Structure formats: C-alpha cells, structure tokens
Amino acid sequence: MKPEVRVRFAPSPTGYLHIGGARTALFNWLFARHHGGKFVLRIEDTDIKRNTEEAMAAIYEGLQWLGLNWDEGPHAGGEFGPYLQSERTELYERYLKKLQDAGYIFEDQGALRFRSPREHVIVDDIVCGKIDFDLSNPATHPDMTIRRPDGSWIFHFVNVIDDLEMKISHVIRGEDHLSNTPKHIEIFRALGATPPQYAHIPLILNRDGTKMSKRDEGARVEYYIRRGYLPAAVGNYLCLLGWSPKDNREKLDIDEIIRIFDLKNIGRSSATFDPDKLHWLNGEYARELSDAEFYDLAFARLKSSGVKLDKFPEKYVRAALQTCKGKINTFDELPAYCGFYFTNDVDYSPEGVSKHFSAENKPRLKAVREALSALEEFNAAEIEATLKSTASKLGGKVGAIVHPTRLAVTGSNVGPSLYHLLEVLGKERVLTRIDRALTKF
C-alpha cells in the first residue's frame, strides 16, 4: 500500500496573504485532493517581533475565501499538533539534543550552528529535475545557524523537524526555497530520516518581469476579496500560473482541476500575472451565477459601498440588479454602473455632457420626453418601439437619441440596456430626470 500523501502550507504571519502564497497553498491543496491525501496548515510564527494577529487572521480568511479547507491545523486540530511553531518548543529541544549527541551542533558566539558534513547533495525535484549542490566549500556554504543567541529558532531547523514529525510526504513550495533544500536534506540525513519529495514551483512575476512584492496593489488576496472578485475565478486563474492542463483551456471547474492536477505539468519558467486576464475570467464566472447568487452578491456589495438600498422596495432593487447581470466583471464596478437607480440626484459624466448635451440634441431629447410621456404601457418593448419611431420621425438613427437619453436618466455613457433600465426606473422617474437634464443644457 502506498504511503499517504501529506502536504503542508506553512506561512509566516508577518504580512497579509500574498497571491504567491495563495497559489502555493492551492497547488498543495489540489495535490492532496487529487491523491486523496491530507492538506496541513502550519503557522511558522517563530519570528515573534514581526508576527501580528491581523496577519494571522488574513491567512485564515484568505484560505477560507478561496475554499482551501485544511484537514489539519489551527481550528481543525489533528494528531500531529500543535500547528503553531511557537507552541512546539519542547519538540525542537528534543531534536536539538539528538543532533548535539551526534556531534552535529557547535556554539558560535552564543548561537548554535549545524556542522555540515561537507558533501554534494543531489536534490531530485519533481518540477526542476535533479540538481547537484556542492556544499563542500565552507566559504560559499557556511555552517548554518539553527538557533539564535536569544534562544529563538531559525526557519531551516524547525521547518525540517515539523515536516518530519507531521509525516509530510511532499514539500511543494516556491522556487526561491530551492537553494535551502540541500541544507534541509542535510538535517534530515543527520537525524537518520528520509527527506520528503520536493517540488519547487516557478515564481509569479509582474508583467514587466519584476517579482510581485507585497507592495504591489494586486499582490494581496485581501485586495480581490475587497474588489468583489469571485473566489472560484481567482482560484481558477491561480491554477494557470505555472500549471497547464495541456489543452489550452483557461476556464476549468475546480473538480476537474482536482481530477487532472499533476505536478509534472508545472512548467519551469516564471509565471506572469496578468490582471486583465483575471478580470476577464472573473466576468465569465459572474455571468454563470444564478439570479439568486448574483442578487445576493450585488446587494451586499452595493450596501457595503454606502448605497441606501433599504429605501427602495425589494421588487425594484431586484429588477434593477437583474439588468446588471452579465454586464460587469467584478462587483466593485456596480456602484458606478447602476448607482443611478438608487438616487435622484445623478451626476452627469463631463465627457458625456460635452458629447451628448449639445444644442442639436436638445430638441431630440424633448421629442423623446414627449413620446415617452404618451406611453400607457411603460415596458421595455414599448419603450424600444417608441424610441425607434421617434428617431425615424426626426430623420436620424436611433443612436442619436439613445445616447442623450441615457445620459439624462443615468448620468453616464455606459450602463445596462437602455430600454430595460427605463422600464425599471418607471415613467415618473424617467420624465423627471429628462426634465432636469433639459434645464442643464
């Protein structure tokens, strides 16, 4: 029987969850789900001075938002806990004594260092292939510190001990850790243990080729939560950063990704983060939402942005938001896209005013007002027929009256279907807004 696949995501709570960290967590989660294994969340919080509760909460929130439920870890428990390194000191002391007794540890100015065996270490990486690291020269590879003079632990040591104790079978992490791996393998060997299999995934770069840093606006998972992205779309996009399904598809259901996910399909070259592609993909997911899902998300987004939806009948709000479905890519676009439904004091786009509130358009808008006021049935079909008839009488195309009419009632050049939004607003609101616009000409 094959040993159980056990992988881990081990972030440090010193900053918000980075999009690269989220991608690493996702690849680990996919690998575990593909093999029916376990996904472990371990918090590497030994850097007491830089750890924050806010960063810890952001890690939990970001992973939960993406749907990356962990099988073991904080809040989930498990037989290999505790899952915060700050609570595992006794364990580290035991392993330190093992290495001391075996002659691998020496003191240097109050710090404890691991005495390297001074040999070549071959890392057989699932993604990067076999790499021969020459650790024989102390000038280029000095003995690593594993404990600081103040008693705090260094990442290299506790990382290995936790992977060993938690029976981690595969370590999937960013390729910036590749150079650390031979050092980790040395500690495993010194403890008489077999190292896990390693897979180092390519880094995520900005479009200009620079490494995504936490200072970049789109580098935090929290940014996508705040902007109203859909977690399924973000997860789908992150999968494509380094991994490929090999058939050029870009939109894949998570269950299918789990079914076909293979570390051997991760490329070696760095992955370029394209915000425009993610924005497009999110729109594709938004279009597939049910009416109920779209309404709930749209309602929450508008309310959180300060739109007073409670002042309006639910039937009106539902009809208004329905005209937006399939027209936006992210939910933070909604206040600008459909805010006109929920205020009588619309602000006119300066560009629209200069283009459509012209002297020649004033009589056109007056004609539209007159035609609409005569309608007994104020629905999209009747409105469309009326505007087309009015344009014909004026001797022009319907676009010549559509644009000034839209600007008059919404204040914008873009938005939902004009005929449908006029129906939702209702005859009285529409005529009042056209009258207001006419006085602004």
Side-chain angles (χ1 to χ4, degrees):
M1 191 174 75
K2 285 186 178 181
E4 181 182 43
V5 166
R6 293 179 55 82
V7 296
R8 47 69 166 182
F9 177 54
S12 299
T14 56
Y16 294 98
L17 181 59
H18 187 273
I19 202 75
R23 196 266 311 252
T24 298
L26 175 62
F27 280 15
N28 276 279
W29 182 86
L30 287 168
F31 188 73
R33 295 293 171 264
H34 177 82
H35 290 282
K38 294 289 194 298
F39 173 58
V40 179
L41 176 61
R42 183 173 79 220
I43 304 297
E44 300 197 338
D45 61 341
T46 54
D47 193 344
I48 298 169
K49 293 178 182 176
R50 295 176 60 214
N51 296 335
T52 69
E53 288 296 322
E54 292 82 7
M56 191 97 79
I59 290 169
Y60 298 147
E61 181 189 16
L63 293 178
Q64 288 166 345
W65 181 75
L66 285 166
L68 305 183
N69 52 309
W70 51 96
D71 303 297
E72 297 175 22
H75 311 304
E79 59 180 305
F80 299 104
Y83 293 91
L84 272 65
Q85 285 185 337
S86 58
E87 299 175 3
R88 296 172 65 82
T89 297
E90 288 184 19
L91 178 72
Y92 304 144
E93 296 280 6
R94 282 207 316 270
Y95 276 92
L96 174 64
K97 189 171 188 313
K98 280 186 180 182
L99 291 176
Q100 286 174 323
D101 292 346
Y104 282 103
I105 303 299
F106 67 95
E107 187 177 338
D108 179 18
Q109 297 182 329
L112 296 182
R113 290 180 177 270
F114 174 80
R115 183 175 282 108
S116 171
R118 296 290 157 220
E119 58 191 7
H120 283 252
V121 175
I122 294 176
V123 177
D124 192 1
D125 192 275
I126 296 170
V127 175
C128 303
K130 287 189 178 182
I131 303 173
D132 185 341
F133 289 89
D134 182 1
L135 306 189
S136 61
N137 186 349
T140 55
H141 293 280
D143 293 320
M144 63 178 149
T145 301
I146 64 170
R147 196 172 196 176
R148 301 180 185 91
D150 66 4
S152 59
W153 302 100
I154 294 291
F155 155 79
H156 300 295
F157 177 65
V158 293
N159 184 274
V160 166
I161 302 310
D162 288 341
D163 284 346
L164 177 58
E165 277 288 309
M166 294 180 183
K167 302 187 185 304
I168 300 303
S169 64
H170 296 75
V171 171
I172 305 167
R173 58 189 179 187
E175 68 178 5
D176 49 335
H177 284 292
L178 182 58
S179 60
N180 295 328
T181 304
K183 302 173 187 176
H184 297 174
I185 289 175
E186 281 191 323
I187 298 176
F188 274 110
R189 288 176 177 171
L191 291 167
T194 302
Q197 289 185 263
Y198 291 94
H200 289 87
I201 57 182
L203 299 180
I204 299 175
L205 304 180
N206 292 310
R207 283 185 289 199
D208 63 2
T210 58
K211 184 180 175 182
M212 273 191 105
S213 74
K214 290 184 178 179
R215 291 185 296 274
D216 294 321
E217 186 180 38
R220 296 177 173 186
V221 172
E222 176 265 340
Y223 169 83
Y224 301 96
I225 300 174
R226 179 167 41 85
R227 286 279 313 274
Y229 277 79
L230 296 169
V234 176
N236 184 163
Y237 183 67
L238 290 179
C239 288
L240 302 175
L241 294 177
W243 173 81
S244 169
K246 298 299 182 188
D247 57 8
N248 295 321
R249 281 182 298 162
E250 295 183 316
K251 187 174 183 298
L252 296 98
D253 178 81
I254 192 65
D255 290 333
E256 184 178 6
I257 296 173
I258 290 171
R259 182 178 63 80
I260 64 176
F261 187 78
D262 190 338
L263 292 175
K264 292 175 182 175
N265 288 343
I266 295 176
R268 283 288 293 114
S269 57
S270 297
T272 301
F273 191 92
D274 185 347
D276 294 334
K277 182 174 279 191
L278 173 54
H279 191 250
W280 162 81
L281 186 60
N282 199 77
E284 295 297 300
Y285 274 86
R287 276 180 270 285
E288 291 184 355
L289 292 170
S290 70
D291 289 350
E293 289 171 327
F294 183 86
Y295 175 79
D296 288 344
L297 290 167
F299 187 95
R301 177 59 47 176
L302 286 171
K303 199 166 185 182
S304 68
S305 68
V307 178
K308 308 294 185 186
L309 297 174
D310 298 337
K311 293 181 177 180
F312 300 89
E314 182 183 342
K315 185 178 179 182
Y316 174 79
V317 177
R318 284 188 179 277
L321 294 182
Q322 187 61 33
T323 66
C324 305
K325 189 167 183 279
K327 304 294 181 64
I328 60 162
N329 284 342
T330 57
F331 283 87
D332 71 331
E333 297 168 11
L334 273 175
Y337 190 77
C338 72
F340 66 86
Y341 281 122
F342 310 107
T343 178
N344 288 322
D345 189 22
V346 295
D347 294 321
Y348 302 112
S349 154
E351 180 191 352
V353 168
S354 63
K355 191 172 182 181
H356 300 302
F357 279 3
S358 59
E360 63 178 333
N361 274 344
K362 189 166 187 178
R364 291 172 180 160
L365 192 55
K366 283 182 176 179
V368 168
R369 194 230 183 266
E370 186 178 335
L372 291 177
S373 67
L375 279 178
E376 292 185 11
E377 293 291 326
F378 205 76
N379 58 53
E382 291 292 328
I383 292 167
E384 181 177 5
T386 299
L387 290 189
K388 287 181 177 177
S389 172
T390 302
S392 180
K393 289 175 184 176
L394 293 170
K397 294 182 178 179
V398 71
I401 60 174
V402 160
H403 297 301
T405 302
R406 177 187 292 280
L407 186 64
V409 296
T410 72
S412 176
N413 299 321
V414 295
S417 160
L418 178 66
Y419 310 126
H420 290 91
L421 74 84
L422 292 177
E423 177 184 341
V424 172
L425 283 169
K427 187 175 180 178
E428 185 181 342
R429 275 198 194 91
V430 169
L431 296 180
T432 299
R433 294 186 185 194
I434 292 177
D435 287 339
R436 177 173 176 257
L438 285 169
T439 64
K440 295 276 185 180
F441 266 102

